[in-house]
Amino acid sequence: MNTQHLFSLQGRTALITGGSRGIGRMIAEGFLAQGARVYISARKAAACDQTAEELKRHGHCVSLPCDVSTPDGCQELASAYGRNETSLDILVNNAGAAWGEDFDQFPESGWDKVLDLNLKTPFFLTKSLSVPLRAAARNHVGKIINIASIDGIGLNPQENYSYVASKAGLIHLTRRMALRFARDNIAVTAIAPGAFASEMNRNARDNADELSRHIPAGRIGTAEDMAGAAIFLASRAGDYVTGSTLVVDGGVTHARSYR
């Protein structure tokens, strides 16, 4: 057994939505370090371009700014990617939104925005990219990685109704997509992150010490923690993992006392 290349992404292509910051950027940097050619997308063009420029010191990184909150936007991103590559080894569906508000005041707009981007977009973007994904899978196992959340598995005190519904749905959608894509030699998995500092998770970013007291591991997640999980699933090491959701949360979901 030669394990030297188990985690290598040399020669692979990856597209990461929401790749300009937070978890998406962590994954992008990790993939670059393992030799992948990385394309990042985000709604804000300036931020996407700046991040790509910063990441270029680690390898091949290209900015493809696009709003993927609609099926038309998903097709637009797929077309932009197609102008650069004919196949896609790894798709990371990471772009997401959150909304928190009291139940009695929770608006329809807060429901639709979150469900559309967090649940509808991963399905329709994957559909738009099915041709290059299947092209890459003729040579080795292709990968689709959906970024879910531990809020799709358990609950916290926040009234984030549309967010928890979207992430729970994404975890189950991952299983259904895995069943369909197995025939195409493509593995579909999900990552359910816990507390990682980001613009979306400002509590972890701004109150890390306080939050860490409630995490069995005693700290919030680092860029290396997230990159390592994504590299495992994206590389040869994760070829026999499909339909699963990898929980990366320092023990909050499965190793926390109820006392």
Side-chain angles (χ1 to χ4, degrees):
M1 182 184 295
N2 181 1
T3 62
Q4 184 177 356
H5 302 295
L6 266 183
F7 297 93
S8 172
L9 298 176
Q10 196 69 40
R12 307 291 175 97
T13 58
L15 173 60
I16 303 167
T17 63
S20 67
R21 63 187 186 183
I23 284 173
R25 179 174 178 146
M26 296 174 194
I27 294 173
E29 188 170 347
F31 283 3
L32 286 165
Q34 292 304 102
R37 297 194 309 280
V38 173
Y39 295 81
I40 62 170
S41 183
R43 180 173 56 86
K44 296 180 180 178
C48 195
D49 293 345
Q50 180 180 340
T51 297
E53 193 62 35
E54 292 169 357
L55 291 178
K56 280 181 182 177
R57 67 179 181 268
H58 303 295
H60 179 100
C61 187
V62 176
S63 170
L64 298 176
C66 191
D67 182 354
V68 294
S69 62
T70 66
D72 286 344
C74 291
Q75 187 56 57
E76 181 182 336
L77 177 56
S79 297
Y81 179 82
R83 290 191 287 271
N84 290 271
E85 304 279 353
T86 59
S87 63
L88 176 60
D89 298 287
I90 307 155
L91 170 62
V92 181
N93 287 307
N94 170 67
W99 194 294
E101 199 158 340
D102 179 80
F103 176 82
D104 291 318
Q105 305 300 322
F106 204 94
E108 184 179 7
S109 59
W111 184 269
D112 291 346
K113 176 183 178 180
V114 172
L115 265 292
D116 281 353
L117 187 56
N118 293 6
L119 188 56
K120 186 176 180 179
T121 289
F123 180 83
F124 281 97
L125 182 58
T126 302
K127 190 170 180 285
S128 296
L129 289 161
S130 61
V131 171
L133 282 164
R134 288 174 173 134
R138 288 196 288 265
N139 300 313
H140 43 246
V141 179
K143 302 297 175 69
I144 299 167
I145 303 172
N146 298 322
I147 305 303
S149 169
I150 60 171
D151 286 350
I153 301 171
L155 297 175
N156 64 48
Q158 299 174 10
E159 292 191 85
N160 52 356
Y161 301 101
S162 54
Y163 184 77
V164 299
S166 70
K167 294 303 184 179
L170 185 58
I171 289 170
H172 205 60
L173 178 62
T174 296
R175 297 173 64 191
R176 188 60 188 83
M177 289 173 65
L179 178 60
R180 172 59 183 83
F181 276 99
R183 73 179 75 165
D184 296 318
N185 197 37
I186 297 172
V188 186
T189 56
I191 296 174
F196 283 81
S198 68
E199 182 65 22
M200 185 177 293
N201 193 340
R202 297 178 185 177
N203 190 32
R205 184 192 66 187
D206 300 336
N207 304 291
D209 291 342
E210 169 63 25
L211 189 58
S212 294
R213 290 200 282 268
H214 304 282
I215 300 173
R219 61 176 177 83
I220 65 170
T222 67
E224 289 82 1
D225 294 322
M226 182 50 55
I231 290 166
F232 162 63
L233 294 175
S235 66
R236 170 62 185 87
D239 278 5
Y240 202 52
V241 180
T242 192
S244 297
T245 295
L246 177 59
V247 178
V248 186
D249 69 351
V252 170
T253 301
H254 298 305
R256 184 168 57 179
S257 170
Y258 288 100
R259 290 186 297 171

